[in-house]
């Protein structure tokens, strides 16, 4: 039997606009709430993490995070009280805050195991994070790693609107009794 969960959508730098899979899912999922940051252009780790933690702590059910890009990194910076509310996380196309000065406030990235099940999805040609670094994040965080070939930043610009594979991965976190095995790699 599936446990009722609250979905917390965690967009990355500059938000996820209309047509982005995060926006489409947030509209479709009845228990979804989207994190809204005060400043999407010049992100502050303290402000972003505080807003994310508040959203997680206010959720009525155990939380499944659906994070993209810098949202993945913000999620790993949460404190123990918020982390304790998280049942799982889909971490997609994580950012590398050391490669862009505007994101440097999020460095260093935590390399501690996450205390919940997580799936990290990365692309072989993501312009914002080398796949080797994404793999290192997955190992450090204890995440299941899904490596996509030539999927770009896994956003609307790389052709990922509805993104059915991501939807299936999300359901493997929210409906563990479906019997579906988590995807480990995809072409």
């Amino acid at each position: 039997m599936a446990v009722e969960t609250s979905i917390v959508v965690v967009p990355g730098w500059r938000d996820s606009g209309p047509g982005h899979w995060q926006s489409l899912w947030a509209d479709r999922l009845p228990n979804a709430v989207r994190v809204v940051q005060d400043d999407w252009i010049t992100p502050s780790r303290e402000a972003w993490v505080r807003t994310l933690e508040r959203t997680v702590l206010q959720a009525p059910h155990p939380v499944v995070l659906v994070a993209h890009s810098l949202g993945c990194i913000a999620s790993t910076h949460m404190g123990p009280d918020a982390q304790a509310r998280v049942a799982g996380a889909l971490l997609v196309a994580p950012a590398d805050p050391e490669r862009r000065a505007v994101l440097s406030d999020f460095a260093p990235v935590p390399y501690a195991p996450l205390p919940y099940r997580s799936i990290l999805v990365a692309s072989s040609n993501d312009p914002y994070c080398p796949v080797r670094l994404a793999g290192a994040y997955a190992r450090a965080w204890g995440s299941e790693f899904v490596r996509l070939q030539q999927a770009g930043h896994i956003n609307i610009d790389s052709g990922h609107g509805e993104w059915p594979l991501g939807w299936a991965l999300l359901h493997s976190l929210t409906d563990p009794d479906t019997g579906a095995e988590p995807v480990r790699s995809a072409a």
Side-chain angles (χ1 to χ4, degrees), residues 56-173:
V56 167
L57 292 170
Q58 291 174 349
H61 306 290
V63 168
V64 172
L65 301 172
V66 178
H68 183 253
S69 193
L70 192 59
C72 298
I73 306 306
S75 297
T76 65
H77 280 290
M78 286 193 312
D81 290 345
Q83 284 186 348
R85 295 282 327 233
V86 177
L90 179 61
L91 306 169
V92 180
D96 176 0
E98 295 180 11
R99 293 178 70 130
R100 286 192 173 275
V102 72
L103 309 182
S104 64
D105 192 34
F106 289 78
V109 174
Y111 273 80
L114 298 173
Y116 45 80
R117 181 177 170 215
S118 60
I119 301 170
L120 188 148
V121 183
S123 168
S124 64
N125 67 336
D126 187 333
Y128 302 108
C129 183
V131 73
R132 283 185 175 188
L133 179 57
Y137 288 160
R139 285 187 298 280
W141 299 339
S143 303
E144 299 164 50
F145 187 54
V146 178
R147 182 178 190 261
L148 304 180
Q149 293 298 320
Q150 306 297 314
H153 195 48
I154 313 174
N155 60 5
I156 194 72
D157 292 339
S158 60
H160 294 85
E162 283 289 337
W163 192 37
L165 172 61
W167 185 253
L169 292 170
L170 172 61
H171 283 281
S172 78
L173 289 167

